[in-house]
Amino acid sequence: MLIKTSEFIISAVKREQYPTDNRVEIAFVGRSNVGKSSIINALTNRKKLAKVSQTPGKTRLINFFLINNDFHLVDLPGYGYAKVSKKEQASWGKTIETYLHGREELKRVVLLVDSRHKPTADDITMFEWIKHYGYDVIVVATKKDKLSNNDLRKSEKLIRDTLKLTSEDKLYFFSSLNKKGRDELIDNLFGDLASEE
């Protein structure tokens, strides 16, 4: 699948602000500093589609992007940023949960984890949440370029064990920096859900 066009549609907090055109949605979620904006920009080949911030935890809204005039890529707020007040963390959690709860257009959630570290308690909770709501989930480990092949194997085992992934659960590694395997990742994430051209 080729991503030919991508455009920002709307930032939303409340359910009534979400798009109502019934297009399929694929949501991206992860910790504040996992490189979510970078991977969205790498996949869409747009430098500034999703705003990359020097301060983790900047995305407090749900951002909807229209891809190929066909489906929405949804950027959910980053979680787990320690320098934010508990109250603010709770409000992001509520924003994410409101979106996940009964969103019929949502067909898949891509959970981003940092390939260099063991998934956190927040990552585990998020994975369980997605499963609880019955959505298809794919785990993508970011910052692949920082690991040797040997470390990659260790990281894969650690991520699979920590999140209790089954053999059916999909896990991919990706670097937004060198974009190796970008086309393959696009096919794996979106190919089966995109409309045939």
Side-chain angles (χ1 to χ4, degrees), residues 156-168:
E156 177 164 5
K157 182 173 182 349
L158 186 62
I159 291 167
R160 282 194 171 277
D161 290 351
T162 307
L163 294 177
K164 298 188 175 70
L165 300 186
T166 66
S167 53
E168 276 83 55

Side-chain angles (χ1 to χ4, degrees), residues 87-151:
K87 187 179 169 193
E88 204 160 357
Q89 282 186 26
S91 81
W92 294 347
K94 194 95 189 87
T95 302
I96 295 171
E97 193 171 11
T98 299
Y99 173 71
L100 289 179
H101 186 66
R103 181 70 177 159
E104 283 185 17
E105 292 83 350
L106 180 61
K107 302 301 177 197
R108 174 170 296 144
V109 181
V110 179
L111 174 63
L112 303 176
V113 296
D114 190 323
S115 65
R116 301 166 302 172
H117 307 294
K118 179 179 178 177
T120 64
D122 286 332
D123 292 327
I124 296 166
T125 302
M126 183 54 67
F127 184 75
E128 288 171 352
W129 250 15
I130 298 163
K131 288 276 197 183
H132 167 75
Y133 284 117
Y135 297 113
D136 180 36
V137 58
I138 293 178
V139 181
V140 175
T142 61
K143 308 181 186 183
K144 178 186 176 186
D145 57 290
K146 305 280 196 288
L147 299 181
S148 67
N149 284 342
N150 193 29
D151 287 337

